[in-house]
Amino acid sequence: GLNFIDLMVRQGNIDNPPKTPLVPGFECSGIIEALGDSVKGFEIGDRVMAFVNYNAWAEVVCTPVEFVYKIPDDMSFSEAAAFPMNFVTAYMMLFEVANLREGMSVLVHSAGGGVGQAVAQLCSTIPNITVFGTASSFKHEAIKGSVTHLFDRNADYVQEVKRISTEGVDIVLDCLCGENTGKGLSLLKPLGTYILYGSSNMVTGETKSFFSFAKSWWQVEKVNPIKLYEENKVIAGFSLLNLLFKQNRGGLIKNIMDKLISLYNNKKIKPVVDSLWALEEVKEAMQRIHDRGNIGKLILDVEKAPTPLVS
């Protein structure tokens, strides 16, 4: 699976970027070829999906057993590679951090992306949830059925949301950062929760730009704890990769994957795959994410031959 975090890794826009050379990628699906001596519950030949701490974009991947999950019988390998990061992130933010329940409202940015579509699907499993989404206008026709109110990503969505819901929303999920932090906090109802789970505004051109990086941080509204107290607002952050690989919460993630697989088996959720790419086409695939051209997840397929260039 390709994720926006992979672009941030490539540009060095993360804490402690790994030393090169490295193989990127944090999730994959495939068939078990070999097992460690003490591994129980899996057999060679099992179809599985997994989290990997880098090195997922490869023909052979090695990862600890706690990060590996069996693929449901009717789930394809491409769907499985699109499943773990997006759905676990969406589920944990909505239900573990923000305590989503009946009658609430949610604002999600990049509603056409992998996490955005997972959020929309999970919200549909709870009665009477209003989902506000922002996305590029060319995606609106394709995703309008998944959210209640859809706005152009360049529009003044704060005024649009307030026009529909004068009090604002209960949950804001922000993968953009920058000036959107202040906007998101201003839209929260009392007891509402703002969650930052990415900072895609820091990825701009082809190379790392210190100016754009600094500008994005400069736009982040300085959060005053006294103001949070007076307005009864909650501000939170969420990083699935840190939870998995730095904070040792693999057991918690396994419980959530079990719930998500059950939702998939009951046909309540289904990963949205945008497109499949050969490993040789990784540059073009990353450019598609960079340009925000995707609806759902991009997948690198080791068995796919590169598409011939048309002269």
Side-chain angles (χ1 to χ4, degrees):
L2 270 83
N3 295 284
F4 212 94
I5 184 78
D6 296 311
L7 271 73
M8 298 181 70
V9 168
R10 192 185 79 184
Q11 293 193 357
N13 287 341
I14 57 167
D15 273 348
N16 305 314
K19 291 185 171 58
T20 54
L22 84 143
V23 177
F26 297 101
E27 64 182 339
C28 62
S29 66
I31 296 169
I32 293 180
E33 288 197 358
L35 299 167
D37 293 339
S38 58
V39 170
K40 301 214 169 30
F42 292 97
E43 293 178 9
I44 289 172
D46 282 350
R47 301 167 72 246
V48 293
M49 50 188 157
F51 291 107
V52 196
N53 194 11
Y54 294 103
N55 299 306
W57 297 356
E59 292 168 318
V60 179
V61 172
C62 185
T63 194
V65 67
E66 68 173 315
F67 303 139
V68 182
Y69 317 92
K70 287 183 180 171
I71 299 175
D73 290 342
D74 56 350
M75 185 186 279
S76 68
F77 282 117
S78 57
E79 283 183 329
F83 193 79
M85 286 274 285
N86 292 162
F87 275 98
V88 172
T89 296
Y91 188 97
M92 292 203 73
M93 291 193 301
L94 289 171
F95 297 107
E96 298 285 318
V97 182
N99 193 20
L100 178 72
R101 53 202 185 279
E102 186 174 346
M104 282 187 161
S105 53
V106 179
L107 168 67
V108 60
H109 293 296
S110 301
V115 174
Q117 286 292 288
V119 165
Q121 290 186 25
L122 288 168
C123 284
S124 72
T125 66
I126 305 293
N128 195 24
I129 301 293
T130 304
V131 181
F132 297 92
T134 68
S136 302
S137 54
F138 71 88
K139 298 184 183 182
H140 285 203
E141 189 60 34
I143 66 170
K144 65 182 182 185
S146 64
V147 300
T148 324
H149 303 286
L150 192 53
F151 311 122
D152 184 83
R153 67 187 296 265
N154 297 313
D156 183 358
Y157 61 86
V158 174
Q159 292 310 313
E160 292 287 330
V161 172
K162 285 187 171 171
R163 184 175 57 78
I164 297 163
S165 173
T166 50
E167 273 202 296
V169 296
D170 296 293
I171 300 168
V172 173
L173 304 177
D174 181 10
C175 59
L176 304 177
C177 200
E179 63 184 9
N180 293 281
T181 302
K183 289 178 178 179
L185 279 168
S186 75
L187 277 173
L188 280 186
K189 291 179 182 178
L191 302 181
T193 304
Y194 162 93
I195 306 173
L196 180 72
Y197 71 98
S199 45
S200 63
N201 277 343
M202 293 185 189
V203 175
T204 50
E206 268 304 291
T207 55
K208 182 177 177 181
S209 160
F210 178 78
F211 178 73
S212 67
F213 195 79
K215 176 170 172 270
S216 196
W217 272 119
W218 186 250
Q219 289 172 329
V220 175
E221 183 149 308
K222 306 302 178 276
V223 177
N224 180 345
I226 302 294
K227 199 174 173 193
L228 290 177
Y229 152 77
E230 289 172 346
E231 296 181 355
N232 277 303
K233 292 181 178 179
V234 179
I235 187 166
F238 182 76
S239 164
L240 176 57
L241 295 177
N242 283 349
L243 207 60
L244 278 168
F245 303 125
K246 291 183 180 175
Q247 295 154 351
N248 303 314
R249 293 298 190 273
L252 172 63
I253 306 297
K254 181 175 187 333
N255 290 338
I256 283 161
M257 277 293 281
D258 289 345
K259 291 175 185 174
L260 288 166
I261 288 168
S262 174
L263 284 169
Y264 176 86
N265 286 333
N266 290 320
K267 303 201 164 20
K268 296 282 172 72
I269 59 173
K270 185 177 175 65
V272 179
V273 175
D274 175 82
S275 47
L276 302 179
W277 302 75
L279 286 175
E280 294 89 343
E281 298 170 322
V282 66
K283 180 187 174 194
E284 292 81 2
M286 286 188 118
Q287 190 64 45
R288 182 165 171 80
I289 294 184
H290 183 282
D291 297 339
R292 293 170 171 81
N294 57 302
I295 296 172
K297 191 63 152 276
L298 279 78
I299 302 294
L300 289 178
D301 184 349
V302 296
E303 294 184 341
K304 184 180 184 297
T307 306
L309 292 172
V310 180
S311 58

